[in-house]
Amino acid sequence: MDPSYYGPNAAVIADLYSKFLADPSSVDQGWKSFFGDLEEDARSLLTGMNGVAAPGAAAPAAAPSPVVGTNGVTPAGGITPADVRAATLDSIRALMLIRAYRVRGHLEAKLDPLGLKPIEPHPELDPKTYGFTDNDLDRPIFIDRVLGLETATLRQIVEAVRKTYCGTIGVEFMHIQDPAQKAWIQERVESIHNQTEFTYNGKKAILERLIAAEAFEQFLDKKYTGTKRFGLDGGESMIPALEQILKRGSQMGLEEVVVGMPHRGRLNVLANFMGKPFTAIFSEFQGGAAHPEDIGGSGDVKYHLGTSSDREFDGNKVHLSLTANPSHLEAVNPVVVGKVRAKQNQREVRDNKKVMALLMHGDAAFAGQGLVPETLDLSELKGYRIGGTIHFVVNNQIGFTTNPINSRSGPYCSDVAKIIQAPILHVNGDDPEAVVHVARIATEFRQTFEKDVVIDMFCYRRFGHNEGDEPAFTQPIMYRKIKKHPTTRQIYSDQLIAQGTFTRQEIDSMVQEWVQRLDQDFEASKSYKPNKADWLEGAWSGLGTAKGYDARRGKTAVPLKTLKEIGSALTRVPEDFNLNRKIARQLKTKEAMFQSGEGIDWATAEALAFGSLVIEGAPVRLSGQDCNRGTFSQRHAALIDQEDETRYKPLKYIREDQAPIEIFDSPLSELAVLGFEYGYSLAEPRALVLWEAQFGDFVNGAQIIIDQFIASGESKWLRMSGVVMLLPHGYEGQGPEHSSGRVERFLQLCAEDNIQVVNCTTPANYFHVLRRQVNRDFRKPLIIMTPKSLLRHKRCVSKLSDMGPGSCFHRVMYCDDVPSKPKDAKQVVICTGKVYYDLVEEREKRGIKDVHFLRMEQLYPFPTDALAMELEPYRNCDIVWCQEEPRNMGAWSYVNEFIEEVAMEMGFKNPRPRYAGRASAASPATGQNKRHLAEQAALIDDALTIGRKPMGRIAARKAAAANQPAAKSGKK
């Protein structure tokens, strides 16, 4: 706002406002927005300059009393227009001041318990900015029940707004565009001056939770001095705040909460919020396992583990589940949100208010990790909406050893939440009543509006990043202050004693009771052993662990009648639907496929897999960038009316009693969306849950979820997942960014039967591998290298009977049309994926008869038995591994030893496979089409040529170097 309107010229504002009331378009946009915010408070009290109610404004029932005229004397016999003008101007200026506090008051709030940085006065919060002087402090001003005041002096108004917005709570909400949300927060905090008057029982509950939190941390410090525990010391107010979220939430219909949090304070949350037995925690500190010894798995450190429990508040039960997660900051966020979505969908009547996500964060991570805004962005999207998340930021005011000034650009770590217009409640962690108060407001807001909300609790770390750290190395001033600073429990105890609520003896007795309880549980922990694991309970009941490395095919065949029923639904559209002409032709072609039972392409086989699962009662959920149409315009899961853009999804209308199918175009995110789908799969094992990358290379952006959860979650935390990743992969000359799904990265992660990696070459095998995910009694993540050019390749088709009775998934496939008998073959080429069709076409072109092909459809678990069976007729042949990828990429580094071991056991004369493919390279592929074609021709020729000797690693390195431009010498 132009400063010239303040002070002596502020009377101009009254004229502008009068014009705005008469015609909002008569003032410029800046004033229009300002008066729009002001209007709700001002409308009922401001009148026109002539003493008559302005258009749209209610005339006051009675004039403000007393009203002072412009000469300082109350007029005899009535109120003059000049008196009304002066009173109106005072009211406007007072409302402008109040509005400034709503917008900027948090900047002068007393948020830092340590008081390290002095609070700088903000000019917009100074009454003088609006033309008031010290002489105006005690003059009555009419503000019509704003802040609960009708007529108040300027001094009273300032006291009220400072108490509301500049105490130990700072509220940011004026960035919210929804009037109802903004009005709700304003009323909620202003009606009680942003303070809750706690009862004796309420204060006792807060004190008891603080004592429990502090006693637990101090006990661990005493018994396991120097051991990493990432304690909550300095942030203990979080524990009573979390209790308040459950208590108030359960009163408003909350029945289940999925929790995600970092390692700081995790043990305290497990013990004092989740109810994990102290004996179990102490046992783990002494080296005991978190699960029974016969369960297996690698286990993980105690501050990564999760648990579940039931809590009861005032007769209302709330089920809690803390999601296990790694140290990688914020990685758990989308996982928790995905789990909540699945749990909401599992209920007979979906009600977002019954299941909620609660995410805890550190300040540096909330500001610095890109996964935070990615997850926030999901909050209002149709395919990912869960009705709001409560975010609780434990603001340590430091990130490891990095000060906030070096870790973020904005004033608050929570600024990123403004991208979704979430209200942000800043609070001083040393005022536990204020922390509990904002927790209550946050819960009510979430349950009322089903939107995200952020609590930003300013606190500190008493012992540095961890208990073995020396924080004074980098923050000496902060830690000198912390050393002298009393604990939150001590501060609150002194406050309650001063109020006369408790005596010192009563509080000391409460502390001693907790110490005695911890001592007893510590002794009991020496003989503690976990009696069961909880990983196959609830939604996972009836499922088991995978056993052996055999085919494990499951029952994936479908009756032909059912397949044709699905086909009929796929090709049927409503009569009044304006179908795209090209799509109409495609549907005609598809209809012919089902009539003949021939030529089933990739996308049709996929649709048959989805359709067959939903009519069997298994939900299907697919998300990814543009996955309704498909990156390569192959899927068309949603048909778009060409006139009004309404959508028709054929797979939703096969049978009336079918399970739901959800196919959502995702935001341009890989990390958060894959995390979401992984989380969904954790809570819903009966569904087929898939994520599709636009191109296989895009999986690079989701690597954290793959490494930290998908590949290792079962081993670390005994958490199964059946999530499916579809990664378009293949070399078609599209350059390095659109060629590789990085299959080598997944194969490097393969061990202990953790995941499955396949690269199918037929639509039928793709159909079976999708159905196999659900129709077995265990769950494993599945990574599928899906094709691009094969989506329309004339050879890459299947018969309907290949999916019908007697059919199944094949881990290794032979050629349907071999050029000669196996005994006449001299060389067998093993490959995977698209290159098979290039090999077949070139073999036919050359008329080669003595080279046969095997396709490895499943790369992991490695199909030793199936490969041995298919290799049996070729004992006297040379073995070649052919791939499109460079030698240091693709499957070669993984498969070559396995193939050699199988061949050796079978007695092959020359068991070692020869490599045929691109030379090692730094980039996945060339960006020059001419070079691509030359490379492709060379590797196909190499694979089909008999008698070449295997190239060793040194020779391969030299060959790769020969393909690169020679480095220039520095010599002249």
Side-chain angles (χ1 to χ4, degrees), residues 47-54 81 84:
T47 61
M49 296 305 101
N50 58 0
V52 179
V84 172

Side-chain angles (χ1 to χ4, degrees), residues 128-145:
K128 293 178 181 177
T129 297
Y130 306 92
F132 291 113
T133 68
D134 291 342
N135 294 330
D136 298 324
L137 286 173
D138 296 309
R139 189 167 79 244
I141 299 173
F142 184 57
I143 56 173
D144 192 32
R145 293 176 296 280

Side-chain angles (χ1 to χ4, degrees), residues 600-602 605 761-768 796-798 803 837:
I600 305 295
D601 60 21
W602 194 273
T761 57
T762 71
N765 227 23
Y766 178 49
F767 166 90
H768 287 295
C796 187
V797 292
S798 298
M803 299 165 241
Y837 292 99

Side-chain angles (χ1 to χ4, degrees), residues 50 89 197 257 351 406 417 455 575 746 948:
N50 58 0
L89 181 56
E197 292 296 328
V257 178
D351 185 350
N406 296 318
I455 300 169
E575 289 184 5
F746 293 98
R948 289 186 178 173

Side-chain angles (χ1 to χ4, degrees), residues 33 121 173 212 236 267 277 299 313 326 502 559 641 643 651 658 704 713 731 761 793 803 855:
S33 299
F173 71 103
E236 293 92 345
L267 294 176
F313 297 87
F502 292 97
D641 189 292
E643 297 298 326
L651 284 171
Q658 69 181 56
I704 292 169
Y731 282 57
T761 57
H793 198 288
M803 299 165 241
R855 286 167 279 174

